[in-house]
Amino acid sequence: MKPEEIREVFMKSAKDLLDYDEEGRGPANVAVRVESYELVGKNSILLSLEENIDDTLGAYLYVGDFLVLDKDVVSYSFYDRNTKTLGATIDNPGIIGMIAAEHPEMTVEFDLSFLIKNARDYYDEHGTLIGYPDTCPCFPEEDIVFPAKFSPSDQQRNAVRTILNSKLSYVWGAPGTGKTQMVLATAIMAYMRRGKRVAIIAPTNNSVEQVLRGVLGVIGSDEGFRRMVDPAKDIARIGTATEQFVEDYPYLCEGQSISMLISKRRKEIKLLKEIIQERELDVIASHFRALEVLAKERKQPADRKAKRDMDNQIDQLISEINAVLEENSLYSDLARDLTSMNFEHQLEAATQRLYQRDRPKNSIP
């Protein structure tokens, strides 16, 4: 096929898929139910998802049956695969108030049709430049070396032979048949043995990283491959890597991916600090109640020893309260004002400011 013919086939396929996907029927639309959620801080929310997700790319938050929050309203700060918890920031006080008051059901839905549109637009502009390779590769049998610890089947040998001696090839196999760790890894290493560079391209982040993990596993298990390839120098993960891949292989990833992970971690730390501060305020709430009781008892007639005991209790409670408030940038000024000499005058103002406000919940699902 000529480049013009390939472009025509691709453009028609993209149109057909987008038409089919228009009403949410196609593979580009995925929905994940939110099992529970908790508001944290002024505009943050923790979503506990029913199942794991690969990425927040193309994610929309559906609130109730009608309200859709897109990327202009909601941003995602972190995702924890172990607890299936997604942290988000909603930049709209009215929506936050509605969620707090009505407790609507939510779903996180993914519209990945933009990937199809991006590919369609690219082919529309550059499709005539994309065609089959001009020359056919040629790898004799002696240049095909399988990983030492594997014993390839005849089908796997034939697949590798076809890849390495064809302009274009298509390999199909059920999961677990060795397409990645046997066939693809062997073909890649054959090219690298000749000093060639290889680009691994896939439609999703997850697919690219699945292939990379398979290739890295083969390299790590074969001494000959290890001598030929140093992953830290010879392999680069281009584009936006998933959080888990950045954690596992930071030395393969572009700086952009590392920076994104650092940014996510900073937002996560900020959110967790808010949660911890709210929990600490809950702990000292009982201290304020105890001070109110002691303030009343102090006005009652009592002997010197009883007065001294009350003063000691007051000093201890105020010391513990101030230790918490001094670590909280929002309320550190209260620690300066609250002393054993004037605590009776400061109690009401302090408790109103700390507890008579719209407080966020203080736990992670």
Side-chain angles (χ1 to χ4, degrees):
M1 292 178 71
K2 296 180 179 180
E4 292 79 6
E5 295 173 315
I6 296 175
R7 175 183 174 276
E8 185 179 339
V9 169
F10 189 92
M11 295 293 291
K12 182 180 184 306
S13 298
K15 181 182 183 304
D16 291 344
L17 187 55
L18 287 170
D19 289 345
Y20 182 70
D21 203 60
E22 255 185 8
E23 298 179 3
R25 298 176 296 160
N29 289 275
V30 179
V32 177
R33 192 174 72 87
V34 177
E35 290 187 330
S36 62
Y37 54 86
E38 294 196 42
L39 294 170
V40 180
K42 294 180 180 179
N43 61 349
S44 296
I45 187 168
L46 295 174
L47 307 169
S48 180
L49 305 184
E50 187 175 52
E51 57 188 271
N52 264 316
I53 60 176
D54 292 324
D55 206 331
T56 56
L57 199 64
Y60 290 78
L61 183 61
Y62 278 66
V63 181
D65 296 327
F66 63 93
L67 185 59
V68 183
L69 306 186
D70 61 18
K71 62 183 179 181
D72 295 327
V73 179
V74 61
S75 59
Y76 301 99
S77 54
F78 72 93
Y79 180 65
D80 185 345
R81 290 188 64 83
N82 294 325
T83 61
K84 292 180 284 192
T85 301
L86 178 63
T89 300
I90 298 177
D91 190 21
N92 188 308
I95 294 174
I96 288 286
M98 185 271 285
I99 292 173
E102 300 180 14
H103 310 290
E105 290 188 358
M106 295 189 196
T107 56
V108 179
E109 301 196 12
F110 300 85
D111 179 10
L112 301 181
S113 61
F114 72 94
L115 293 174
I116 303 170
K117 293 173 184 175
N118 288 348
R120 176 201 62 192
D121 294 344
Y122 183 86
Y123 262 85
D124 188 28
E125 186 173 353
H126 306 290
T128 55
L129 304 176
I130 302 172
Y132 292 126
D134 294 328
T135 59
C136 186
C138 180
F139 283 80
E141 198 72 30
E142 59 269 20
D143 287 353
I144 301 175
V145 180
F146 287 89
K149 293 186 178 180
F150 293 91
S151 200
S153 66
D154 290 341
Q155 287 181 320
Q156 290 167 340
R157 288 182 181 277
N158 185 52
V160 173
R161 194 181 298 113
T162 300
I163 292 172
L164 294 177
N165 291 280
S166 305
K167 289 184 177 182
L168 182 70
S169 56
Y170 177 82
V171 177
W172 182 90
T177 54
K179 296 186 301 298
T180 300
Q181 292 202 14
M182 179 66 73
V183 175
L184 184 57
T186 300
I188 289 171
M189 297 309 292
Y191 273 100
M192 295 188 73
R193 194 175 289 105
R194 288 189 174 184
K196 302 293 186 180
R197 290 187 297 177
V198 179
I200 299 173
I201 301 169
T204 66
N205 281 333
N206 201 41
S207 300
V208 170
E209 290 168 6
Q210 184 180 3
V211 173
L212 268 177
R213 287 178 185 278
V215 172
L216 289 166
V218 170
I219 293 171
S221 66
D222 189 286
E223 186 177 350
F225 288 171
R226 286 200 305 273
R227 286 197 302 267
M228 185 171 34
V229 179
D230 180 355
K233 296 179 180 178
D234 300 329
I235 298 177
R237 168 67 170 94
I238 306 300
T240 305
T242 62
E243 186 174 326
Q244 188 62 51
F245 194 85
V246 174
E247 290 182 353
D248 294 342
Y249 303 102
Y251 51 88
L252 300 184
C253 300
E254 287 187 301
Q256 178 187 10
S257 294
I258 303 294
S259 298
M260 288 181 63
L261 181 60
I262 291 172
S263 177
K264 282 186 176 182
R265 287 290 177 258
R266 284 176 176 164
K267 290 179 181 179
E268 184 177 354
I269 289 169
K270 181 182 177 184
L271 188 62
L272 292 174
K273 281 183 176 178
E274 290 181 2
I275 293 171
I276 290 170
Q277 287 174 349
E278 290 298 327
R279 289 180 177 178
E280 289 175 337
L281 292 180
D282 280 343
V283 170
I284 62 173
S286 61
H287 290 41
F288 281 102
R289 291 192 294 270
L291 284 176
E292 291 174 356
V293 173
L294 286 169
K296 293 178 182 177
E297 291 180 354
R298 205 178 183 196
K299 296 176 182 178
Q300 303 300 319
D303 59 37
R304 187 175 299 173
K305 181 179 181 305
K307 289 279 188 183
R308 228 180 9 251
D309 289 343
M310 280 190 284
D311 287 343
N312 289 337
Q313 290 181 58
I314 289 168
D315 288 342
Q316 181 65 31
L317 289 168
I318 290 176
S319 175
E320 292 177 6
I321 289 172
N322 285 340
V324 171
L325 296 180
E326 285 169 357
E327 296 297 320
N328 191 318
S329 59
L330 293 176
Y331 305 113
S332 57
D333 58 304
L334 292 176
R336 295 192 297 270
D337 298 335
L338 190 62
T339 68
S340 56
M341 300 296 294
N342 69 347
F343 80 95
E344 294 180 47
H345 302 292
Q346 297 295 329
L347 272 180
E348 183 176 356
T351 53
Q352 281 185 351
R353 187 170 161 192
L354 292 173
Y355 303 107
Q356 295 181 24
R357 60 187 171 90
D358 185 17
R359 295 186 65 201
K361 295 187 177 182
N362 59 9
S363 62
I364 297 177

